[in-house]
Amino acid sequence: MLRRIVIVGGGSAGWLTAGLIAAEHRAAPAALHITLIESPDVAPIGVGEGTWPSMRDTLRRIGVAESDFFRACDAAFKQGSRFNGWVDGSADDSYFHPFSLPQGYGEVDLPAQWQAQHPQRAFADLVSYQPLLCVQGRAPKQVVTPEYAAVANYGYHLDAGKFGLFLRQHCQEKLGVHYVADHVLSVVSHDNGDIAALRTQQHGDIEAELFIDCTGMQSLLLGQHYGVPLVPQQHVLYNDAALAVQVPYPADDYPIASHTCSTAQSAGWIWDIGLPTRRGVGHVYASRYISDDQAEAELRAYIARTSGQTDIATPRKLRFNPGYREKFWHRNCVAIGLSAGFIEPLEASALAIVEMSAAMVSEELPATRAAMDIVAKRFNEAFTYRWERVIDFLKLHYVLSQRRDTAYWRDNTDPAKVPERLQELLTLWQHRAPSRSDFYRIEEVFPSASYQYILYGMGFRSDFSRAPKPQEAAMADGYFHEAASLARKMLGALPDNRALIHHIKRHGLQKI
């Protein structure tokens, strides 16, 4: 029977995994013993500062108070992403991918009616109230809205370093996770090839029946010990480097953006994330198209342009090999987080994949070793599919660009570099909009609504003439007016982002 689980590596991935499993199974008659081993000398990367709305449910499931989370993690609200300069690089080139579904989504063919009635309007601006909330810097809820409840759908921006420490304290004090700060020296194996124990420097051999690898890009167990290779994806998505820096606000009351800004550059893009005490800004780029010095110059120019600051700290340099593991669960070892793979930070999918992985391990936790092989097979199939969907969705942002000003953008729009499955979808979407039938699994990484936001935000036009539905015109127009009406009502009722965060830190939110 499975009685002991060892998680190697902390940070957001390790502690979210520990928390989800512990919260789910601590009340079982045969309670699990969960140990997390974390090297005291290995600092987390600490730049995963964006989450999806799914994080609200994850934090609620592990018993975290949202008010405490805001206070401890320098957290802010995130309602989606704004993409600047991705379509053609012009001054007014901008569109939103909001977290809220379009009004009338699934009830009427909104893209067809948008294109027929209001082609001059940005798609997201017409079908959703949320872009206007973001532009106006509004929070997604009121001071009287209970914890984790929403007026407008939201996730978070957060300080990743503080988040890991916050989760560690919560998991130890509230969920009974045993914490070991020590170095793993070697892996002790059973005769059949399973991992029997991890030999540590100060605590000897730590045994378990299941080992979860959260050791980041070094992938100590799955990658190094078992030799499970990375399936490279740099031939599809070229970015392999990043420069990250923290930028102070010019004043304590400076507005906090309610969305992530992603601004295209000559050979990559810059993220801009607003926290209560600072901005997190970074340049993700492809090193074969631009030097580190040139990338830093573009980053500094962006910061100067958006804040007026020219004297910033030296950015942290990060390197990554975009790809995912050939399999994620091998024998009695499963990798979660960067040890399982990483593509790039566009659309903040990394923590969402961690949440999905930890949830599936927890929900399908095998009772016996024989059952583990069945669960592993299911896990590998599910997450191979999910990683491929992430790659499709991220590539969609690039392949539709009209930019031809650099080799980076010209190569990104090369049809030969588009995955076959995405190419097939683009062929279908020439005559219809992305729909739920294109993404048929119960828990898709990105819903068809997200594909609609990106597809039509990037200027794609479908030929809907083969299946006109004039009877839907009035219905769609009603939804368009509904979105506009909701935006007006919410602007009058919702506080700005900083004001609500300040209230939460002082007074907290009402418990559900």
Side-chain angles (χ1 to χ4, degrees), residues 260-439:
T260 297
C261 278
S262 301
T263 303
Q265 302 297 303
S266 66
W269 57 276
I270 288 175
W271 78 73
D272 194 338
I273 287 175
L275 302 183
T277 60
R278 61 166 174 85
R279 291 159 60 199
V281 185
H283 188 180
V284 186
Y285 57 97
S287 60
R288 58 176 152 161
Y289 293 93
I290 189 173
S291 69
D292 292 345
D293 289 343
Q294 291 171 313
E296 184 172 337
E298 289 189 1
L299 177 62
R300 289 181 177 274
Y302 172 86
I303 293 171
R305 185 171 67 253
T306 57
S307 70
Q309 300 179 57
T310 56
D311 184 20
I312 64 169
T314 301
R316 292 177 56 201
K317 293 183 180 181
L318 306 169
R319 287 286 188 272
F320 56 91
N321 182 18
Y324 57 88
R325 295 288 162 188
E326 188 174 80
K327 53 185 172 180
F328 312 98
W329 195 323
H330 179 64
R331 305 199 68 87
N332 66 334
C333 172
V334 57
I336 294 178
L338 296 178
S339 56
F342 183 73
I343 304 299
E344 65 157 284
L346 188 68
E347 294 285 7
S349 61
L351 278 179
I353 292 291
V354 167
E355 294 176 78
M356 292 178 183
S357 300
M360 185 169 181
V361 171
S362 177
E363 290 163 7
E364 300 202 15
L365 199 65
T368 65
R369 180 63 184 84
M372 189 177 294
D373 290 335
I374 299 170
V375 173
K377 181 181 178 181
R378 292 158 59 96
F379 188 94
N380 289 331
E381 192 273 337
F383 281 92
T384 297
Y385 175 86
R386 285 169 175 163
W387 279 97
E388 289 176 349
R389 296 291 79 74
V390 168
I391 292 163
D392 286 349
F393 189 65
L394 300 192
K395 185 64 176 180
L396 185 66
H397 296 65
Y398 293 96
V399 72
L400 297 177
S401 179
Q402 300 166 25
R403 295 185 62 149
R404 301 294 184 271
D405 50 312
T406 65
Y408 173 85
W409 289 104
R410 291 192 294 272
D411 289 352
N412 258 305
T413 56
D414 182 355
K417 305 295 177 62
V418 181
E420 181 181 0
R421 55 191 177 271
L422 178 58
Q423 194 67 265
E424 291 174 350
L425 288 170
L426 287 168
T427 299
L428 293 174
W429 295 339
Q430 289 177 9
H431 299 282
R432 66 168 177 82
S435 71
R436 288 168 172 157
S437 63
D438 297 321
F439 310 99

Side-chain angles (χ1 to χ4, degrees), residues 95-260:
Y95 73 93
F96 274 94
H97 174 198
F99 280 153
S100 293
L101 295 174
Q103 295 302 118
Y105 172 67
E107 301 298 322
V108 63
D109 191 345
L110 294 169
Q113 297 303 324
W114 156 70
Q115 202 166 296
Q117 299 184 51
H118 306 281
Q120 75 285 355
R121 292 280 307 278
F123 175 72
D125 295 356
L126 182 69
V127 303
S128 173
Y129 56 80
Q130 203 153 36
L132 187 58
L133 300 186
C134 291
V135 168
Q136 297 295 326
R138 292 295 197 270
K141 60 197 296 179
Q142 299 171 304
V143 295
V144 295
T145 310
E147 290 197 339
Y148 298 121
V151 175
N153 198 19
Y154 70 89
Y156 307 105
H157 290 144
L158 53 84
D159 184 307
K162 292 180 179 179
F163 187 46
L165 294 174
F166 172 72
L167 291 173
R168 183 172 80 185
Q169 182 178 0
H170 178 79
C171 288
Q172 286 182 264
E173 296 179 357
K174 306 294 185 181
L175 299 176
V177 175
H178 181 54
Y179 174 53
V180 175
D182 204 347
H183 301 282
V184 174
L185 301 177
S186 61
V187 176
V188 180
S189 298
H190 287 298
D191 291 341
N192 68 354
D194 281 2
I195 298 175
L198 299 180
R199 184 154 295 160
T200 63
Q201 191 172 58
Q202 298 177 7
H203 293 78
D205 291 357
I206 300 179
E207 299 177 343
E209 291 81 45
L210 176 64
F211 294 82
I212 302 178
D213 186 346
C214 296
T215 59
M217 292 180 184
Q218 66 172 322
S219 192
L220 184 65
L221 303 185
L222 191 72
Q224 292 187 33
H225 174 68
Y226 278 124
V228 176
L230 202 69
V231 179
Q233 295 298 317
Q234 200 166 2
H235 62 291
V236 178
L237 291 161
Y238 309 142
N239 295 337
D240 62 353
L243 296 168
V245 67
Q246 298 179 2
V247 180
Y249 290 114
D252 291 343
D253 60 350
Y254 199 80
I256 303 170
S258 292
H259 54 277
T260 297

